[in-house]
Amino acid sequence: MSILLREDFTFIVQGITGREAVNLTRECLDYGSRVAGGVTPGRKGREVHGVPVFDTVEQAIAAHGAPVDGSVVTVPPAFTKDAVFEALAHGIKLIVVVTERVPRRDVAEMVELAGLHDARIIGPNCLGVIAPGVCKMGGIGGPAKDAAKAYAAGSVGVMSRSGGMTTEISSSLSAAGLGVSTAVSIGGDAIIGSTYAELMPLFEADPETDAIVIYTEPGGRMEAQLAEWRRNAGSRLPIVAFMAGKFMDDEEMKGMTFGHAGTIVEGPDDTATEKIARLEAGGIRVVERIDEIPDAVESALRSGDAMAGVARSAR
Amino acid sequence: MRFYEYESRRIVERAGIPVTRYGFCTTAGAAREAAARIGGPVVIKSQVLTGGRMKAGGVRFADTPEEAEVDAAAILELEINGHLPRGVLVDPKADVAQEYYAGVVWDGTAKRPLMLFSDMGGIDIEEVAAEHPGHVGRGHLSNLIGPGDYEAKQVIAQTGLTGSELTRATPVLARLARLFRAHDMTLAEINPLARLTDGTFVALDAHMEMEKEAKPRQRELLVETLGIRPGDTREAYTPSEFERNVAAIDAADHRGVIQGRDHGFDGDLGLVIGAGGGSLTLTDAVRSQGGRPANYTEIGGNPSVAKACGLAKEVLSKDGVTKIAVMMSIVSNTRVDIVARGVIKACLELDRDPGETIAIFRIPGAWEEEGFKILDRYGVEYCDRSVSMWEAARRAVEKVQGGDGGRAPNAAGGRVLR
């Protein structure tokens, strides 16, 4: 099984005629995903790789003849909020926002409105979600054959603030024979629709998922939130974390952002060092090296404890 | 994007929050005139985008316009943390009965703005929150409705304020919350917010930061009201030649995105690395294994050969760079063969042997077979996804430090570092 997606999951693509959207539509179709339609205002009547294009979400759903489960939003930043509001207004419950550089205020409005509609947003500034062999929603993993190469079905749930690192980590888990249950590129911005802690209950309820790997960066409080969730929830899932951007803790790097907009360090709790301490205090194993992830997961699965193999004094 | 105090004051003033009759001056003579206009004792404050100006001597008190002129002249030449002031703010010395703090920040976990108010103003709010939690009121705002005056009132009332203090402070915090939202701020602070002896409230200092992504839609405030030039980026430091050159190469071609930084880096291993998370991971991997990066880069999207070449040339041209490491996490959008062609072209154009100059090429993913063929032809060491990013970084560090046992350091321009 998987989280968020399933075999018959159906979605639309908003902004489907854009260059990136055309590519991801092709990739998703090749992977076997069901893309019911696309929306670009003023382009009704066209087709993108056989997918009909409409002016409005309403038209796309009407033509499909049934509700659609999700939408991939890839429109310019100034129009992103409106596109998400349109999807929410038509009952779409899972919205992947690919667009980068959406102002925080717009993101916060989208997320709050989604909450009122009982819907979920992934992103913005993300590559989407993939359940290996089940469904690919977004550009995650790239072309279908590349996605198949990097993502084998398995037992590890992956969540990452970096789209590229979602694939890198999943590929190493697949090569190690562990595989991936669902991988979520959660997005690199300061405010995102779904944080680690907010997705954890879904993985917790997924019988196919036995362990979690997260990729994380300086900036924000998402890791503290995850550590707190784990302490309080009595979760069955061991979590292994990798923290990139430790060099940003250096004095001369203060006040700079690297990589993603969300890496802005706004307080003393946002640094890599502080976050690692918090994750570990929450019983989450933080590996130093990216190539240690599969071994750390394996040993956690053997013992049922992510901190297995870590000396007590280091806990 | 940060604002100078004189701009922040203008922003709060425009939002209907009372301020003193301050003057912003760029010359000592103008400061003297401003002080004369104000009449009575004044405060002269350095206008810099850095903290600690009080300690550095960037704030002075003057009783007469003549003193104000002397103080302004001194402050205008005083560098604070490497920054020369843009000017001075001349402010009447206010008759303060009490100082408060009013602020609005983002709470990323709640995904809502957070209002803060304290009756202990003038000092750092974190310090007050840690040591006197009862003196800090808080309240989250909806992103969709309001903010209403009652929400500000609730926050202020938490600190125990009542009577006219409460009713006069309420509109200040409510207006601050509205301007935070209307102008896409990430931080809006009035500290101190002062109650004068006549009972009125004025903002004595203000600190605003706006989200970079929102700058296009805040043109009216930025350009028309504040007169900020579009090129005035307000970065914490002046971009280096390398950074400017990389930005120019990026701007010249819409295909793909490249970024380069060398602020804070001064090593011998040039990094041509990519994707946001991959670049962070690789920079750490190089440093953790004793390597000294000369720079930081990000390759994203699908850059043209010219763009990849331009970036690699800039990195190779940096002082002290002997070799470059070309590394990324698995790519699906960027084409491996295009980056390979770009970095090889850069070596050839600089008359350097690609096989010697490129310490390692580790970009697995889209079009990798084609890329690896090209790399083979030029004798460049490469690896696929079976070699981890950590291991690729290790090989690069080993080579640049001359410990690869096989190849000699580049005879053309390299130096042996052991």
Side-chain angles (χ1 to χ4, degrees):
Chain A
M1 230 178 81
S2 51
I3 70 162
L4 301 169
L5 307 175
R6 42 171 215 282
E7 292 272 2
D8 60 352
F9 190 92
T10 308
F11 59 90
I12 59 169
V13 177
Q14 290 174 263
I16 193 165
T17 52
R19 193 175 54 89
E20 240 184 285
V22 168
N23 288 340
L24 78 83
T25 300
R26 160 106 255 172
E27 295 169 11
C28 290
L29 289 169
D30 288 350
Y31 198 79
S33 302
R34 301 182 178 195
V35 186
V39 176
T40 298
R43 303 285 170 87
K44 185 182 172 186
R46 293 198 187 188
E47 281 196 353
V48 171
H49 298 300
V51 175
V53 179
F54 302 92
D55 288 331
T56 67
V57 171
E58 189 175 30
Q59 291 168 358
I61 293 174
H64 178 58
V68 300
D69 302 303
S71 176
V72 175
V73 175
T74 162
V75 303
F79 309 110
T80 302
K81 185 178 87 176
D82 194 55
V84 170
F85 278 21
E86 186 181 359
L88 290 170
H90 292 280
I92 294 175
K93 299 298 182 199
L94 181 66
I95 302 171
V96 166
V97 183
V98 175
T99 313
E100 271 184 68
R101 295 177 192 167
V102 182
R104 233 187 278 202
R105 171 173 47 134
D106 292 10
V107 179
E109 286 183 27
M110 281 153 31
V111 172
E112 191 170 329
L113 190 64
L116 296 175
H117 283 266
D118 204 19
R120 174 180 294 285
I121 291 174
I122 304 290
N125 191 6
C126 80
L127 292 182
V129 188
I130 186 168
V134 177
C135 181
K136 166 175 134 85
M137 184 182 181
I140 188 164
K145 75 169 173 42
D146 292 348
K149 190 170 170 185
Y151 292 88
S155 61
V156 185
V158 177
M159 294 183 274
S160 167
R161 285 170 65 174
S162 155
M165 292 304 289
T166 317
T167 298
E168 181 74 32
I169 289 169
S170 298
S171 173
S172 73
L173 291 168
S174 298
L178 290 158
V180 170
S181 59
T182 307
V184 187
S185 161
I186 61 173
D189 285 355
I191 292 184
I192 53 173
S194 302
T195 61
Y196 308 119
E198 289 165 342
L199 290 169
M200 278 306 293
L202 278 66
F203 279 118
E204 189 73 28
D206 174 27
E208 297 297 314
T209 301
D210 294 327
I212 299 292
V213 171
I214 68 161
Y215 163 92
T216 180
E217 299 175 345
R221 308 285 154 90
M222 239 183 283
E223 295 72 18
Q225 187 197 20
L226 175 65
E228 199 184 317
W229 178 87
R230 193 171 187 282
R231 267 199 308 275
N232 298 334
S235 171
R236 67 181 176 88
L237 297 171
I239 306 175
V240 171
F242 173 76
M243 168 71 64
K246 292 184 272 265
F247 73 93
M248 286 175 59
D249 283 2
D250 283 15
E251 192 54 43
E252 59 265 37
M253 305 296 170
K254 290 275 157 68
M256 298 167 75
T257 57
F258 288 89
H260 302 115
T263 63
I264 180 79
V265 174
E266 286 171 340
D269 294 346
D270 303 359
T271 63
T273 310
E274 185 58 36
K275 287 184 171 209
I276 289 170
R278 276 169 191 248
L279 287 166
E280 287 178 341
I284 294 163
R285 166 94 184 266
V286 183
V287 294
E288 163 77 19
R289 296 162 43 171
I290 186 79
D291 60 345
E292 293 172 323
I293 291 173
D295 284 351
V297 171
E298 271 174 9
S299 70
L301 286 173
R302 272 199 304 275
S303 66
D305 176 7
M307 299 300 271
V310 179
R312 268 220 95 73
S313 60
R315 289 189 181 193
Chain B
M1 159 166 182
R2 302 181 299 172
F3 293 101
Y4 289 94
E5 180 194 354
Y6 71 93
E7 295 168 334
S8 297
R9 289 234 207 166
R10 179 79 190 93
I11 295 168
V12 298
E13 191 180 0
R14 203 166 163 261
I17 296 169
V19 295
T20 53
R21 286 189 56 227
Y22 65 91
F24 169 68
C25 314
T26 53
T27 65
R32 178 199 170 104
E33 282 165 31
R37 194 182 66 239
I38 288 165
V42 293
V43 189
I44 319 279
K45 298 157 100 177
S46 176
Q47 296 299 290
V48 278
L49 291 178
T50 178
R53 67 181 173 182
M54 187 66 127
K55 223 183 235 174
V59 179
R60 294 184 182 214
F61 299 88
D63 286 328
T64 64
E66 291 70 31
E67 278 179 46
E69 182 172 7
V70 174
D71 286 343
I75 290 174
L76 284 168
E77 290 182 0
L78 178 72
E79 207 174 84
I80 301 175
N81 297 331
H83 296 257
L84 269 177
R86 171 152 306 186
V88 293
L89 195 136
V90 182
D91 208 18
K93 197 156 169 272
D95 273 329
V96 177
Q98 190 177 346
E99 295 189 338
Y100 307 84
Y101 168 95
V104 187
V105 295
W106 273 112
D107 178 344
T109 310
K111 305 175 194 179
R112 289 167 183 250
L114 177 69
M115 278 190 292
L116 294 160
F117 187 86
S118 173
D119 57 348
M120 294 177 70
I123 47 174
D124 201 24
I125 187 69
E126 278 91 14
E127 206 179 309
V128 181
E131 285 164 31
H132 309 279
H135 285 270
V136 180
R138 296 159 201 272
H140 284 107
L141 292 167
S142 165
N143 296 295
L144 301 171
I145 316 158
D149 281 5
Y150 80 91
E151 295 176 280
K153 182 184 68 179
Q154 284 176 179
V155 169
I156 298 167
Q158 284 174 36
T159 65
L161 250 66
T162 182
S164 68
E165 270 185 275
L166 174 68
T167 55
R168 285 183 161 183
T170 296
V172 174
L173 183 58
R175 284 167 188 167
L176 188 66
R178 284 180 204 126
L179 87 81
F180 176 90
R181 188 148 107 197
H183 293 307
D184 287 288
M185 297 297 178
T186 55
L187 173 72
E189 274 185 334
I190 300 174
N191 191 24
L193 169 69
R195 177 164 52 89
L196 304 182
T197 45
D198 67 2
T200 56
F201 278 74
V202 290
L204 285 189
D205 196 352
H207 183 181
M208 306 276 143
E209 291 184 18
M210 180 186 280
E211 194 175 30
K212 202 164 61 181
E213 281 71 18
K215 278 168 70 180
R217 70 182 182 195
Q218 293 295 341
R219 219 193 103 83
E220 193 203 343
L221 176 71
L222 296 174
V223 181
E224 285 161 34
T225 303
L226 300 175
I228 297 172
R229 287 176 294 107
D232 188 353
T233 61
R234 304 290 169 90
E235 291 296 337
Y237 64 95
T238 316
S240 67
E241 192 188 346
F242 170 76
E243 290 166 347
R244 286 197 308 272
N245 292 350
V246 173
I249 295 165
D250 188 45
D253 185 339
H254 72 277
R255 287 165 293 179
V257 180
I258 55 165
Q259 291 177 60
R261 289 257 183 85
D262 62 353
H263 179 83
F265 294 94
D266 60 355
D268 51 10
L269 177 59
L271 297 182
V272 179
I273 55 180
S279 292
L280 296 181
T281 302
L282 288 159
T283 304
D284 278 346
V286 167
R287 294 198 355 158
S288 301
Q289 300 183 84
R292 299 189 305 115
N295 66 288
Y296 172 91
T297 55
E298 279 172 28
I299 304 171
N302 189 18
S304 60
V305 172
K307 210 167 197 174
C309 171
L311 177 64
K313 272 168 95 170
E314 286 301 325
V315 174
L316 274 167
S317 306
K318 278 180 60 63
D319 283 347
V321 169
T322 53
K323 289 181 193 293
I324 55 171
V326 184
M327 308 183 284
M328 286 179 79
S329 52
I330 297 170
V331 293
S332 48
N333 189 10
T334 303
R335 274 175 55 171
V336 178
D337 60 326
I338 287 178
V339 180
R341 277 160 56 196
V343 295
I344 287 170
K345 189 161 181 262
C347 294
L348 298 176
E349 286 181 8
L350 293 173
D351 214 12
R352 317 249 309 234
D353 174 359
E356 297 295 339
T357 309
I358 301 169
I360 190 87
F361 185 102
R362 193 269 186 197
I363 308 181
W367 298 72
E368 65 179 16
E369 294 85 1
E370 292 78 0
F372 295 162
K373 253 183 240 162
I374 299 162
L375 294 162
D376 259 335
R377 203 178 311 147
Y378 288 91
V380 176
E381 183 183 340
Y382 61 86
C383 41
D384 63 12
R385 70 188 68 193
S386 66
V387 173
S388 72
M389 294 162 83
W390 174 268
E391 169 62 14
R394 189 195 64 76
R395 291 185 194 176
V397 170
E398 195 175 271
K399 271 196 193 170
V400 80
Q401 295 181 351
D404 65 327
R407 292 187 166 129
N410 182 7
R415 55 200 168 104
V416 185
L417 289 150
R418 287 247 37 177

